[in-house]
Amino acid sequence: MRLILFLFIFSLFIVNSFGQQSTIVKKNVSDTILNEKRTLNIPSDSFHSMKVMQKLFPGKLYDLSSKDYQDFFISWECKKCRPAVNIEREFPYTDGVITRLRKTINYKDSKGNEFKILVFNHSSFFENEEDKRHGIKGILGLAKFAKINGNWQIRSFQPAVGEFGSYGQCPAPDLIVIGGDQYALTLNNKFKLNGGPTISSLILIAGNNGKYSRILTVDMYEQLKSINCCDRVTWESTIKVDQNSKKQYYRDVIVTTKGKYNRPGPNEDDSVPNEIESFTKNKKSFRFVIEKRYIFNGKQYVLKGKPIVTILH
């Protein structure tokens, strides 16, 4: 519901504001804005996420908030920046960048050490066509701080981890423990097909030597019905880590998918997980459970063995 509200208001903003780009100032910033080795210390009693964002991205701050919706963003451009190497579209965008704080994650490890992760999203000054905005991903960025001697010190800064989501908006990640004091981020990467269902993949991102990267992708993670569409075949998934494992780091990951199948009509979407496709030939209606276990091979998580499939009547 929050995502729908965001997309609606964001679309209005694009039409009313971005259509008149003269009202949006794109402040040119130094190419040090993308320096992943930047240093920053913030006194513990004055850490305000949005103010810290302004230190990381010293562009022009805008406030589009209303009584029902809070929306701040920073507008900037960098004429001397070199393009990020791991992003499909040229970033920083040549027509300007809109950076929004998506989330602040607070956590402690087993020793009581405190950390904060600022999660932010970059988008461009969009084209006016709805279909082009629909297909544009957002760029995920992360800044991790550790509390040391009364100050929050930046320990990892990665302004462009990767591209996810749609409408220029990447999903807000959740924290997950994958080993002893080892933390990762999960993203439910949703994408609504035109006139079809909402589908998603699961992305698992972890840090190694201060660098975050994708270590697992689970396609067909969810398929949810849309308004007046696609309620005959739906499924949802959950992810959990095998905390009983003797592995200290990168413990096994288990993804469990539960769904229902009712044979679609001739003009309806008939997408199903590969594991149950053979059952759809002889059964018109059933429920199913799919369990997959993933193990770490030194670089990324890979599927271990065959998925366990249970068909329920």
Side-chain angles (χ1 to χ4, degrees):
M1 209 44 211
R2 290 181 179 177
L3 177 61
I4 296 174
L5 177 62
F6 167 82
L7 294 177
F8 174 72
I9 295 177
F10 191 47
S11 298
L12 293 179
F13 165 67
I14 293 169
V15 173
N16 295 331
S17 297
F18 278 36
Q20 303 173 357
Q21 291 190 16
S22 61
T23 64
I24 303 295
V25 177
K26 295 177 289 184
K27 182 179 177 181
N28 186 39
V29 299
S30 167
D31 58 359
T32 58
I33 196 170
L34 299 183
N35 183 4
E36 296 184 356
K37 297 182 180 180
R38 293 170 66 182
T39 59
L40 182 61
N41 293 326
I42 306 294
S44 60
D45 59 352
S46 60
F47 192 102
H48 184 281
S49 295
M50 199 62 220
K51 291 182 179 179
V52 175
M53 285 292 295
Q54 288 180 271
K55 292 181 179 294
L56 295 173
F57 300 97
K60 178 71 174 178
L61 178 65
Y62 285 88
D63 180 4
L64 295 181
S65 303
S66 67
K67 64 178 182 179
D68 299 320
Y69 184 78
Q70 189 177 69
D71 185 19
F72 298 90
F73 69 84
I74 300 170
S75 172
W76 58 278
E77 63 179 346
C78 182
K79 296 179 180 179
K80 294 184 178 181
C81 284
R82 295 182 179 180
V85 297
N86 59 328
I87 303 300
E88 293 178 8
R89 301 181 72 199
E90 184 175 330
F91 178 80
Y93 304 116
T94 56
D95 59 348
V97 183
I98 299 297
T99 298
R100 281 181 168 84
L101 175 67
R102 291 287 282 120
K103 189 176 186 179
T104 301
I105 298 174
N106 300 282
Y107 69 97
K108 293 183 181 181
D109 64 15
S110 63
K111 299 177 182 178
N113 298 314
E114 296 182 61
F115 301 92
K116 289 180 182 287
I117 299 178
L118 299 186
V119 181
F120 45 90
N121 178 86
H122 305 295
S123 58
S124 68
F125 284 70
F126 292 127
E127 300 87 343
N128 289 326
E129 291 85 353
E130 176 75 15
D131 59 338
K132 289 184 179 180
R133 294 205 311 273
H134 180 266
I136 295 176
K137 302 174 183 178
I139 295 179
L140 173 71
L142 300 170
K144 180 180 177 180
F145 292 80
K147 192 174 184 180
I148 301 174
N149 297 327
N151 293 320
W152 288 103
Q153 297 183 13
I154 193 166
R155 302 299 297 272
S156 175
F157 177 61
Q158 199 166 341
V161 176
E163 294 178 280
F164 310 99
S166 58
Y167 289 95
Q169 179 78 352
C170 66
D174 293 313
L175 196 69
I176 187 172
V177 181
I178 60 173
D181 282 338
Q182 184 186 24
Y183 297 82
L185 299 172
T186 61
L187 290 87
N188 192 346
N189 194 37
K190 295 183 179 181
F191 187 88
K192 187 182 184 307
L193 300 175
N194 287 326
T198 298
I199 62 174
S200 74
S201 58
L202 176 79
I203 310 295
L204 184 64
I205 294 173
N208 185 18
N209 295 324
K211 191 81 171 180
Y212 285 90
S213 62
R214 182 191 312 208
I215 58 173
L216 173 64
T217 301
V218 181
D219 294 321
M220 305 289 277
Y221 187 69
E222 288 184 344
Q223 176 165 297
L224 306 176
K225 68 178 182 179
S226 302
I227 299 176
N228 298 323
C229 171
C230 317
D231 61 346
R232 299 180 65 82
V233 184
T234 60
W235 63 87
E236 296 182 83
S237 300
T238 57
I239 179 174
K240 71 175 184 178
V241 177
D242 185 1
Q243 300 296 357
N244 295 322
S245 171
K246 295 181 180 179
K247 298 178 182 178
Q248 184 176 4
Y249 302 113
Y250 296 108
R251 293 168 181 162
D252 294 1
V253 169
I254 302 169
V255 174
T256 302
T257 301
K258 297 180 179 181
K260 68 173 184 177
Y261 174 84
N262 293 287
R263 184 171 294 171
N267 297 321
E268 294 182 289
D269 183 86
D270 60 354
S271 300
V272 296
N274 294 333
E275 293 80 8
I276 68 164
E277 187 172 2
S278 61
F279 296 98
T280 64
K281 298 178 181 180
N282 300 319
K283 296 179 179 292
K284 293 183 178 180
S285 177
F286 59 89
R287 295 184 177 273
F288 58 89
V289 179
I290 305 169
E291 183 178 293
K292 299 178 183 178
R293 178 177 287 265
Y294 295 87
I295 59 173
F296 194 70
N297 68 359
K299 294 183 178 180
Q300 60 185 356
Y301 277 95
V302 296
L303 183 66
K304 178 182 179 181
K306 294 183 178 181
I308 300 174
V309 180
T310 304
I311 301 298
L312 306 172
H313 299 287

